[in-house]
Amino acid sequence: MGKDEKEDTGFGFKDRAKAEETLRLLEAHEPNYRRLTVRGLLGRAKRVLSLTKAEDKIKNIKEAMKVFEDWLAELELNKPGKEEKEDKKRKRSEEKDSSSDVEMEDSSKEKKGEKKEKEKKESADTVPGLGFKDKEAAENTLKQLEGRDPDYQQLAIKGLIRSAKRVLTCTRDETKLANIKTSIEIFEKFLEDFEREHRSKQNNTYISLGLVETSLDLAGDRVSEQQRAFIEAYRSVEGQYKRLRTVRGEEDITWDIIRNRVLAEMKDKYADVKLFDEEDKPTPEHLDMLLWAYSPERERVRKLMREKELGENRENGESPNKKMRTE
């Protein structure tokens, strides 16, 4: 494999060690450059694989690709959602339009501080207490992830394994090395069980806050206090479901866990019920799940139901009762 511009800078994908070294070197660069470089290396690695016959080289390149893929998965895990980014962009535009040049200059430092603090709060979607320094930290990590969205559990553990392996290459203390290796073994066992038990199928993908509001209108009086409390929590994070991981509800449990517990029972209870009636409206049982921001027929719900336009209606003092589309 000949060197090119990327490999002259120390970047490469010939094996796991080279991939891990590449990620360490990229830490000195800005985030967008890191992401684009890793994606580029992945693309080149795939092309090289298609031309390589030697089994040992194929194995080494695949291991390097896995390091990069896990890194990108962790990056995606902590990436702000599309709605969150658009909301920030809109708010920045509004602030710019409503302030004079003099006012902006006089208060620029204060606004920057407020903005950083606000963005920090808005990105509070990471579960605290995760770590890998020893067996106790690893077991506590699994305990903190228990009951949360399976997809998040998997991505969080993969990210921790990747971070732990990077730390191993920089550590010389034998006790620390042994402790971290124990944590990695615990995490890898978790991932093996995760795949074997097909836990990803248990993931309860969220529907938008607008569709939950529409469902609330349709449900009328058939809404429990617990459902109302969940919807209030969903509103408080402006429909950014990742942030429910740190918003606590009843018994000091976060709402993502409460939601998964309730939905596990509902999915058993309503396993054989109809989800839509003859008019393509959700049945009462289906509405029960929709009020928890979930539907087994998520795409069909999105096509059939109008998403309530929250901001515009509230500004106009309106409270329209959105109805189903008929097709």
Side-chain angles (χ1 to χ4, degrees):
M1 180 172 25
K3 287 189 175 183
D4 59 14
E5 184 181 348
K6 294 293 182 189
E7 291 176 313
D8 289 340
T9 61
F11 305 155
F13 51 80
K14 69 176 182 179
D15 54 26
R16 174 187 287 275
K18 189 64 178 177
E20 291 172 346
E21 180 189 358
T22 296
L23 293 179
R24 286 196 298 275
L25 291 171
L26 283 170
E27 288 176 0
H29 297 273
E30 56 94 15
N32 194 48
Y33 177 82
R34 295 201 299 264
R35 183 176 66 255
L36 291 175
T37 299
V38 169
R39 286 178 176 171
L41 287 167
L42 267 175
R44 288 173 46 236
K46 289 176 182 177
R47 289 197 297 273
V48 172
L49 272 184
S50 67
L51 303 172
T52 303
K53 304 300 181 185
E55 291 186 3
D56 57 336
K57 288 185 178 180
I58 291 174
K59 177 177 178 294
N60 289 337
I61 292 173
K62 284 184 176 180
E63 288 179 351
M65 289 174 64
K66 188 174 187 307
V67 171
F68 290 146
E69 286 166 350
D70 288 347
W71 185 86
L72 287 171
E74 183 184 7
L75 193 69
E76 187 67 24
L77 175 68
N78 296 309
K79 179 181 176 184
K82 181 179 178 183
E83 292 178 5
E84 181 180 354
K85 288 192 288 187
E86 289 178 350
D87 188 50
K88 288 179 185 177
K89 185 176 179 181
R90 177 181 59 77
K91 287 178 181 177
R92 283 198 298 268
S93 176
E94 288 173 355
E95 288 173 3
K96 184 177 179 181
D97 293 340
S98 63
S99 303
S100 69
D101 291 341
V102 176
E103 288 173 337
M104 288 179 72
E105 184 177 350
D106 290 343
S107 61
S108 61
K109 290 184 179 179
E110 183 180 345
K111 283 187 176 180
K112 283 180 182 177
E114 290 175 355
K115 182 181 176 183
K116 285 183 180 178
E117 183 62 27
K118 189 172 183 180
E119 287 182 353
K120 183 178 179 182
K121 289 179 181 178
E122 287 179 345
S123 63
D125 55 24
T126 304
V127 174
L130 308 187
F132 54 80
K133 69 176 183 178
D134 53 26
K135 180 181 179 181
E136 183 180 355
E139 290 176 344
N140 183 63
T141 291
L142 296 184
K143 185 176 180 181
Q144 293 297 325
L145 291 173
E146 201 171 298
R148 300 185 187 276
D149 300 328
D151 283 357
Y152 174 72
Q153 293 183 41
Q154 184 183 44
L155 287 174
I157 293 300
K158 284 184 175 181
L160 287 167
I161 289 175
R162 186 179 67 81
S163 298
K165 288 181 176 178
R166 280 210 310 271
V167 171
L168 281 180
T169 64
C170 308
T171 304
R172 296 291 177 265
D173 184 281
E174 292 297 329
T175 302
K176 288 182 179 179
L177 286 170
N179 287 339
I180 293 173
K181 286 178 180 178
T182 298
S183 292
I184 292 173
E185 289 174 3
I186 291 171
F187 291 154
E188 287 178 339
K189 174 65 166 55
F190 170 88
L191 291 178
E192 288 173 9
D193 293 342
F194 189 98
E195 292 295 334
R196 188 181 68 255
E197 297 168 10
H198 306 290
R199 294 181 197 170
S200 59
K201 293 181 179 180
Q202 300 168 15
N203 204 63
N204 301 315
T205 306
Y206 285 74
I207 62 171
S208 69
L209 176 59
L211 287 175
V212 173
E213 295 279 6
T214 301
S215 303
L216 184 62
D217 286 345
L218 291 170
D221 296 331
R222 294 187 67 261
V223 186
S224 71
E225 289 302 314
Q226 191 184 39
Q227 285 169 328
R228 291 187 187 280
F230 166 74
I231 294 169
E232 282 304 314
Y234 204 19
R235 287 169 177 158
S236 75
V237 297
E238 300 176 346
Q240 297 166 32
Y241 71 89
K242 294 179 181 179
R243 294 169 60 194
L244 292 175
R245 298 170 192 155
T246 55
V247 179
R248 298 191 176 276
E250 55 200 43
E251 299 180 9
D252 205 33
I253 301 170
T254 54
W255 277 107
D256 60 327
I257 295 177
I258 296 171
R259 174 179 178 268
N260 284 333
R261 289 179 180 177
V262 172
L263 286 174
E265 295 177 3
M266 280 190 173
K267 286 161 86 171
D268 284 339
K269 181 179 177 182
Y270 298 149
D272 300 319
V273 301
K274 288 179 62 177
L275 297 177
F276 297 91
D277 62 19
E278 291 75 11
E279 298 178 0
D280 263 342
K281 294 180 180 180
T283 60
E285 294 83 3
H286 194 182
L287 276 173
D288 261 354
M289 291 184 278
L290 289 168
L291 294 171
W292 286 99
Y294 172 76
S295 171
E297 294 281 355
R298 182 165 169 260
E299 292 306 314
R300 186 176 176 188
V301 164
R302 289 175 62 184
K303 289 179 181 178
L304 293 175
M305 292 175 68
R306 285 196 182 99
E307 188 169 336
K308 192 170 181 181
E309 298 172 4
L310 305 175
E312 182 182 344
N313 292 331
R314 285 172 182 167
E315 286 175 8
N316 295 334
E318 298 174 0
S319 182
N321 184 10
K322 297 287 182 181
K323 297 182 180 181
M324 300 286 292
R325 288 193 184 115
T326 55
E327 297 183 341

